[in-house]
């Protein structure tokens, strides 16, 4: 369960464990069952591309004076090796061949699970640190990837105190933040599936439906479309909370409806939010929705090669502030960053937020999601993801044209 789904659906003491998954519709309606899978022709990342990623990592290591990087199980390890193996440590040196260190008790599984990324060495009951330290004996400065545990880092620095350990972010983020055409294609498919799932599920929205029931309907649509995905669903005044509420909610005429999240395709994520109203929108709802769309447009226009990430946030925030909200992160107004990076993680580097002076480059991908929150009334978030080209930002999905037309 991800953070948004937990916050939006947990009802501890009311509906059992707060960590239970949203309920799955045991028998999805016919309009969901009739959906066709959209994953049959996807093209996974090739081994050749992963080898090229390792070579880029080595170049970035040299530029940042790192002799090697350490990765643990997670998305960076998957990015370089295509492996979801969780039990070991992977070392990629700036010179020489990479190597895996795995528990001796898991050696058979490791040889099955690991397809590429170097030789496999094992450690026994005494632990991995002496064995890994030997592999680092010629290193002066080693980068630690963000998923490596403190225990691993602490054990290694005790074993090889002369080695300087630093963040591997200049290498791992430096590689991952720029997406290849193959990655863009996988992100595009994840976004296409998400829109298809949302559009189908919205056809089943009806008065009295709980937010958990609607979330389950969207999850069923994802399964029918051949992907794994979920959705945070919030209604009415609770749409003002960016990550939802634990309060049970049943849909009523005139409620704002906010749906947020996405699916995964070959590990690549989508993240889309649609906000509409169940029934006829009021003048106030329409006014705030239109203002949110203007803020999203401003961010899209500002996201150009060479611009700073913070300037995109400033462009969206100015639209909202000029309308009398805020200023800054105050509510009513825009209470969070305008966008985040997206790829193998739903939220990854780098962010469209004040203080981030990173220059935008072709191949970067971001969510574009300025939000207007008005506690006690409602909130509006329009979120589409965008990728940067030489000529500017392009959305993976068509923006909503109006409050009563979430899909155009």
């Amino acid at each position: 369960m991800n953070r948004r789904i937990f916050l939006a659906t947990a009802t501890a003491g009311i509906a059992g464990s707060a960590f239970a998954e949203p309920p799955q519709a045991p028998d999805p309606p016919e309009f969901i069952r009739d959906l066709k899978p959209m994953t049959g022709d996807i093209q996974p990342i090739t081994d050749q591309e992963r080898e090229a990623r390792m070579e880029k990592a080595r170049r970035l290591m040299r530029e940042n004076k790192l002799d090697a990087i350490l990765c643990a199980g997670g998305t960076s390890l998957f990015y370089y090796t295509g492996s979801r193996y969780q039990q070991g440590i992977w070392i990629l040196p700036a010179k020489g061949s990479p190597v895996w260190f795995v528990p001796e008790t898991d050696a058979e599984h490791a040889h099955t699970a690991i397809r590429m990324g170097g030789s496999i060495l094992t450690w026994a009951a005494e632990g991995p640190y002496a064995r890994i330290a030997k592999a680092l004996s010629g290193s002066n400065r080693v980068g630690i990837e963000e998923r490596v545990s403190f225990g691993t880092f602490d054990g290694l620095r005790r074993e090889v105190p002369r080695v300087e350990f630093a963040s591997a972010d200049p290498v791992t983020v430096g590689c991952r933040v720029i997406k290849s055409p193959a990655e863009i294609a996988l992100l595009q498919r994840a976004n296409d599936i998400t829109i298809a799932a949302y559009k189908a599920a919205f056809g089943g929205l009806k008065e009295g439906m709980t937010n958990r029931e609607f979330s389950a309907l969207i999850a069923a649509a994802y399964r029918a479309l051949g992907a794994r995905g979920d959705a945070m669903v919030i209604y009415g005044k609770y749409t003002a909370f960016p990550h939802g509420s634990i309060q049970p909610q049943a849909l009523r005429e005139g409620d704002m409806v906010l749906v947020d999240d996405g699916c995964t395709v070959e590990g690549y994520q989508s993240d889309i939010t649609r906000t509409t109203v169940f029934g006829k929108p009021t003048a106030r709802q329409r006014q705030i929705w239109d203002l949110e769309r203007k803020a999203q447009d401003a961010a899209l226009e500002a996201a150009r090669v060479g611009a700073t990430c913070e300037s995109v946030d400033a462009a969206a925030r100015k639209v909202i502030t000029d309308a009398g909200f805020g200023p800054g992160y105050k509510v009513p107004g825009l209470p969070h960053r305008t966008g985040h990076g997206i790829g193998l993680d739903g939220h990854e580097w780098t962010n469209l937020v004040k203080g981030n002076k990173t220059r935008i480059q072709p191949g970067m991908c971001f969510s574009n999601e300025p939000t207007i929150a008005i506690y006690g009334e409602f909130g509006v978030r329009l979120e589409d993801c965008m990728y940067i080209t030489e000529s500017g930002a392009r959305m993976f999905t068509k923006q909503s044209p109006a409050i009563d037309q979430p899909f155009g």
Side-chain angles (χ1 to χ4, degrees), residues 241-263:
F241 299 103
H243 296 117
S245 168
I246 65 171
Q247 295 300 318
Q249 300 157 44
L251 189 61
R252 300 177 302 177
E253 181 79 14
D255 274 347
M256 279 290 201
V257 178
L258 189 153
V259 176
D260 182 11
D261 246 306
C263 69

Side-chain angles (χ1 to χ4, degrees), residues 175-243:
C175 286
R176 289 180 57 182
V177 76
I178 307 297
K179 271 64 179 182
S180 70
E183 290 178 287
I184 296 290
L186 291 171
L187 288 164
Q188 182 66 65
R189 184 60 59 88
N191 279 271
D192 291 344
I193 292 172
T194 298
I195 289 294
Y198 283 7
K199 191 172 182 179
F202 266 88
L205 198 59
K206 58 186 178 182
E207 189 162 9
M209 176 178 276
T210 69
N211 57 328
R212 288 172 63 86
E213 288 171 338
F214 193 27
S215 180
L217 191 63
I218 295 170
Y222 278 128
R223 292 193 295 274
L225 292 165
R228 180 172 55 84
D230 48 34
M232 177 186 74
V233 175
I234 40 181
Y235 299 149
K237 66 181 181 181
Y238 300 111
T239 57
F241 299 103
H243 296 117

Side-chain angles (χ1 to χ4, degrees), residues 263-300:
C263 69
T264 178
V265 173
E266 289 291 315
Y268 287 85
Q269 310 293 316
S270 59
D271 193 0
I272 297 173
T273 305
R274 289 292 177 264
T275 304
T276 186
V277 67
F278 183 66
K280 184 178 180 180
T282 65
R284 171 73 162 171
Q285 289 170 331
R286 191 179 295 278
Q287 175 195 23
I288 300 304
W289 194 99
D290 290 347
L291 180 63
E292 164 70 3
R293 172 58 198 269
K294 289 177 182 178
Q296 192 190 39
D297 288 343
L300 179 64

Side-chain angles (χ1 to χ4, degrees), residues 148-180:
V148 176
S149 70
F150 176 80
T152 299
F153 158 69
D154 191 49
L156 286 174
R157 70 176 177 176
R158 292 172 185 271
E159 193 73 33
V160 281
R162 67 169 192 80
V163 172
E164 177 188 352
F165 290 95
S167 171
D169 282 1
V171 177
T172 54
V173 176
C175 286
R176 289 180 57 182
V177 76
I178 307 297
K179 271 64 179 182
S180 70

Side-chain angles (χ1 to χ4, degrees), residues 5-27:
I5 296 299
F6 169 75
L7 289 171
T9 64
T11 52
I14 299 173
S17 170
F19 295 95
E21 290 287 347
Q24 293 186 0
D27 186 19

